[in-house]
Amino acid sequence: MKRREPETFCSWLRTVRVRTLLLVCVPCLLVLPLLLYWVLTSSTIGSRGTIDSADTARRVLGLIEFDHLSGPEIKRRIEELLRIKDSVQGELRGLEQRRAAMQTEIQQLGSKIVQLRMEGSRETKELERLRVSIQQVKVQQQEYIQRNTPDIAPPLPLLPSHPPGPGPKMEDTVCSLSSCLDFSRCSVTSQFPTYLYPDDGGQSLLHSLLSSGPYLTTQPDTACVYVVIVGPETHLQSLPYWGGDGRNHLLVFLSHSSGTTKTTGRAMVVSSVAVEGQFRPQFDLVLPPLVLDQSEDPPWARYPVMVPIVREFLLVFDGQQTLKQKSSAVLDEVVRQDRQVVATLQDMKTKGTSDKFLFSFSCKKVDLTVDALDTGWSLCGDSVTRQERLVKATFCLILPSSTRSVISSAAIQVRLVECLQAGSVPVVLSQDIVLPLGEVLDWTKAAIILPVQRITELHFLLRTLPHSDIFNLKRQGRLVLETYLSSPGIMFQSLLGVLRHRLSIPALPFLDTPSPSVFNKSFTPLLMDHLPADVEPDESLGPLEPPFPSPSFKRNFSTILTQSSHSWNTVFSTHLTAPHTPWEPVLPTEAKFHGSGLGFRPICGGEGGAGREFSQALGGNTPQEQFTVVMLTYEREQVLMNSLARLYGLPYLNKVVVVWNSPRPPASDLQWPDIGVPIHVVRTEKNSLNNRFLPYSAIETEAVLSVDDDAHLRHDEIIFGFRVWREHRDRLVGFPGRFHAWDVNHNSWNYNSNYSCELSMVLTGAAFYHKYYSYVYSEVMAPAIRDMVDEFMNCEDLAMNFLISHITRQPPVKVTSRWTFRCPGCPVSLSEDDSHFQERHKCINFFSRVYGYMPLLYTQYRADSVLFKTRIPPDKQKCFKFI
């Protein structure tokens, strides 16, 4: 059926006429457009006066033809569209402004949220630090409650009020310190007042050299010791303070002949001649002749360098023995033995050995200015010719007199000093010879001392010494010479040092350098309203503590009793006393828990711990302490302010000492940061880089952090460096490492700042050191080094490295991975100039010439914290986040 429907329709169409179809279709085609126009027109008229958004859209999109519209209608439509456009653009602008304002508000709120989070974190950490600080204060309070010994104060100086009077009659016994010295005039706090008698004629120049010194007094009534320079015309009994027997008198004999007929009584005798039976051990003293040096050169310029260690000749001796004494059986036997000694020495040159010897047992010209006494070995030629021969030999020989009772003579003492001046090692063939200052000096560290019977084995013994031992002997001899025997004035001070040692009287203290403020007393510096946001600490590194100084002069009385040998023979610091030294003895770790824990702050009370517990106490092997920042600056005010501001919140900081090297004071409107500790700005007398290491009185701590004003160090780096320094108090502990490199082409040293796996220096632009070295740098170190620093305005950091390595014979300690420390945005420093390096090359070679050798030593490691790069449980913290 369905398939036939089309056939039916088609069959119907075939039956309809064409005329009929036309009559039906034509009217429809005419009527439909009219109806459509009417419908559209009526719809437009009904909605006139309103905006049809759909119609607008259709017209905009071109869906409606405008050809049928009239001109006014089109104009009206266009005006409507323009008005709509303006309205939409206004609304869009308003929305854009609101969006920008909302974005700005969102950013502000975001910044405020971050700031609040930072403040919250900071306040939390501050609260934690305050909690730890309260615990520390409670511990301190408990310590003070439990202390059962008060602070020991030295007794008042007991000074006599009148000169010594006649003493009791002395039995015919040998004098000793306890029997012939009046201790009542020399209390331990008397500071050892010494009175030097006026010159009685003939020795005015020498007297003027000895008359200056810290221990000399012009008040004879209160003197402990009276010093007399004895000449041929000196009458001891007529001295105004002789007191009948010469108690507490020190008689300095310039020649042996001046003392042969004098009765010395209870006075101590100082001479270059000592004879058994007359010399009183531990009472009389032996010194080389006090001969005035005519050379204007400093001592270091007259002494040769100590390298090469081994010289052309192994052993040297020049002398001639004179025999004026009447012969006797005993003397003849000794002379025969001495001739065998000479024969043995002569045989050394002829035996099959590659070693060379420089011996001469007869003189073309005997030096008659130096008395060798009878049967002694006289000196040949003059001092210049003797030095020319001595500098060629590694060892120099000193033979005793054939008169064995002569245990010292001027010739022996001069021979010893000249040997040290030539940089040779003395070989003393006698264990009976009294060496200068032997009561306090350990001559076995500077000389080879053998009995004369070892002469046949001497060559073998000398060859067994390795180069390192030979150098140590040379270095020790050079230090003994420079510190105690280089001039009459220094020998006199050493002589007084021995007497102080006998009486257990501490040396006078080093004088601190005054620290005058750059500001007037009436001027108050302006303070910053707030610190920059980036200076706030983001890690808890230690508790908050009020500034407190390091205890000073705690051991100045005990050191002379327990560490005298160390002072005389290791650090060579006996003439003056420092408030503290880097060589404090360390208690065993359990002592702090058994009554000796005053000042100690063990980690978590001794239980130990990881980062959190570690940050709450210093721990270690020494009591708690703080450090002082010393910052050198010159007319870089804003850089200085930024560096000071970064120190805010730094734990264990005692104060900041700013060394103001500029002649112009700071600007009056300069705003200084309030960092929680005092900032002391020191006015200097001149612009000198040596000012960095002056022992300012404002520095009250042992630990000193030397920092450049443009150095940028994080707090964790500083605290870690401080903790490392506490374990290496005698060394330089710093951040940027440098090294000295050998220039093969020029046979000299160069300063090198390249990256290296081996270093020998740390720059003092960011380094910890002990204040003790400030005293040594400013008052003991050779002035020529400080002069070169002033000449070049450079090398002060090299000078400090040389000094500490020279004293300790150890390299510095580098901490963390930092190789440079310049702050971003700071002005370019002079260290980038090529002339800067050329000057430092010259400094290194000059300093090594002054010391006589290269003191710097290499090191191949650096210090990092214990848990650095160690995997730890998530509930534990590392010692430092980034170190």
Side-chain angles (χ1 to χ4, degrees), residues 693 731-742 749-768 794-806 808 810-816 818-821 836-837 839-845 847-848 851 854-862:
F693 300 123
R731 298 165 73 177
L732 196 61
V733 177
F735 298 87
R738 302 293 184 264
F739 66 98
H740 64 298
W742 182 251
W749 292 107
N750 284 341
Y751 169 82
N752 201 311
S753 62
N754 296 331
Y755 292 100
S756 171
C757 295
E758 193 172 59
L759 59 92
S760 58
M761 296 173 281
V762 293
L763 301 184
T764 56
F768 283 93
N794 197 345
C795 304
E796 85 287 355
D797 51 351
L798 306 185
M800 181 58 82
N801 276 273
F802 269 73
L803 175 66
I804 297 179
S805 293
H806 170 65
T808 63
Q810 295 188 82
V813 178
K814 173 176 168 47
V815 292
T816 76
R818 182 182 290 271
W819 198 260
T820 59
F821 51 81
H836 172 81
F837 287 89
E839 291 172 351
R840 292 170 89 79
H841 297 335
K842 296 178 183 178
C843 287
I844 283 184
N845 289 282
F847 294 168
S848 62
Y851 285 104
M854 170 54 72
L856 299 179
L857 296 173
Y858 293 111
T859 181
Q860 298 179 352
Y861 78 94
R862 74 170 191 236

Side-chain angles (χ1 to χ4, degrees), residues 140-447:
Q140 291 179 357
Q141 183 184 16
Q142 191 67 23
E143 287 179 346
Y144 283 113
I145 293 175
Q146 295 178 353
R147 287 177 65 179
N148 55 8
T149 56
D151 289 334
I152 298 177
L156 296 176
L158 302 177
L159 298 177
S161 59
H162 54 81
K169 292 184 179 181
M170 184 178 62
E171 300 294 335
D172 188 15
T173 58
V174 177
C175 260
S176 65
L177 200 66
S178 59
S179 62
C180 294
L181 188 77
D182 184 3
F183 279 83
S184 65
R185 304 188 64 85
C186 307
S187 66
V188 293
T189 57
S190 64
Q191 299 184 344
F192 195 62
T194 303
Y195 178 75
L196 178 63
Y197 278 94
D199 179 39
D200 59 354
Q203 301 294 336
S204 58
L205 183 56
L206 178 61
H207 189 277
S208 63
L209 291 176
L210 304 184
S211 60
S212 60
Y215 299 99
L216 295 181
T217 180
T218 58
Q219 304 295 327
D221 291 349
T222 61
C224 168
V225 173
Y226 300 84
V227 180
V228 185
I229 300 178
V230 181
E233 304 299 326
T234 303
H235 300 285
L236 300 179
Q237 301 297 330
S238 62
L239 294 175
Y241 310 107
W242 184 253
D245 55 7
R247 285 171 298 135
N248 293 49
H249 274 64
L250 191 66
L251 308 180
V252 181
F253 288 90
L254 300 180
S255 64
H256 177 60
S257 59
S258 61
T260 54
T261 60
K262 297 184 183 299
T263 302
T264 58
R266 294 186 178 185
M268 293 172 283
V269 175
V270 180
S271 175
S272 58
V273 177
V275 179
E276 284 186 346
Q278 299 177 8
F279 179 78
R280 298 166 290 184
Q282 303 296 319
F283 192 75
D284 294 336
L285 296 105
V286 169
L287 274 184
L290 299 179
V291 180
L292 296 177
D293 194 346
Q294 303 300 326
S295 176
E296 297 181 357
D297 295 331
W300 63 265
R302 304 194 301 266
Y303 305 151
V305 295
M306 287 178 264
V307 289
I309 305 300
V310 177
R311 297 175 176 174
E312 178 183 0
F313 295 94
L314 180 66
L315 186 63
V316 63
F317 179 81
D318 289 312
Q320 177 175 305
Q321 191 176 33
T322 57
L323 297 174
K324 299 180 182 179
Q325 188 175 346
K326 294 181 179 181
S327 62
S328 63
V330 176
L331 180 61
D332 291 343
E333 177 62 23
V334 175
V335 171
R336 186 186 64 81
Q337 293 177 1
D338 289 347
R339 288 174 180 173
Q340 290 180 350
V341 170
V342 173
T344 303
L345 293 173
Q346 294 283 19
D347 290 342
M348 289 183 185
K349 297 192 298 183
T350 59
K351 288 182 178 180
T353 177
S354 60
D355 295 327
K356 296 181 180 180
F357 299 90
L358 195 59
F359 294 146
S360 176
F361 299 101
S362 63
C363 302
K364 295 180 180 180
K365 180 183 178 181
V366 176
D367 190 348
L368 300 177
T369 61
V370 182
D371 189 5
L373 301 182
D374 192 22
T375 72
W377 290 92
S378 301
L379 298 174
C380 298
D382 56 17
S383 60
V384 177
T385 59
R386 292 194 295 270
Q387 284 293 309
E388 291 175 353
R389 291 170 63 87
L390 287 170
V391 294
K392 298 178 182 179
T394 306
F395 300 93
C396 58
L397 187 62
I398 299 176
L399 294 176
S401 171
S402 294
T403 305
R404 295 294 191 253
S405 61
V406 177
I407 53 179
S408 178
S409 67
I412 291 176
Q413 299 298 326
V414 170
R415 197 181 294 275
L416 174 67
V417 171
E418 289 183 348
C419 184
L420 297 177
Q421 291 174 344
S424 298
V425 178
V427 178
V428 183
L429 279 186
S430 174
Q431 293 179 318
D432 298 325
I433 290 179
V434 179
L435 299 178
L437 309 177
E439 187 176 332
V440 291
L441 293 183
D442 185 1
W443 279 101
T444 60
K445 295 182 177 181

Side-chain angles (χ1 to χ4, degrees), residues 70-100:
S70 62
E73 184 68 20
I74 294 174
K75 180 178 180 182
R76 188 181 62 77
R77 295 296 180 89
I78 292 173
E79 290 176 351
E80 288 179 2
L81 291 175
L82 292 176
R83 184 172 60 81
I84 292 172
K85 174 185 176 183
D86 294 339
S87 176
V88 171
Q89 287 180 345
E91 291 181 3
L92 290 176
R93 283 193 296 268
L95 291 173
E96 179 64 24
Q97 291 176 356
R98 291 180 60 190
R99 185 183 70 84

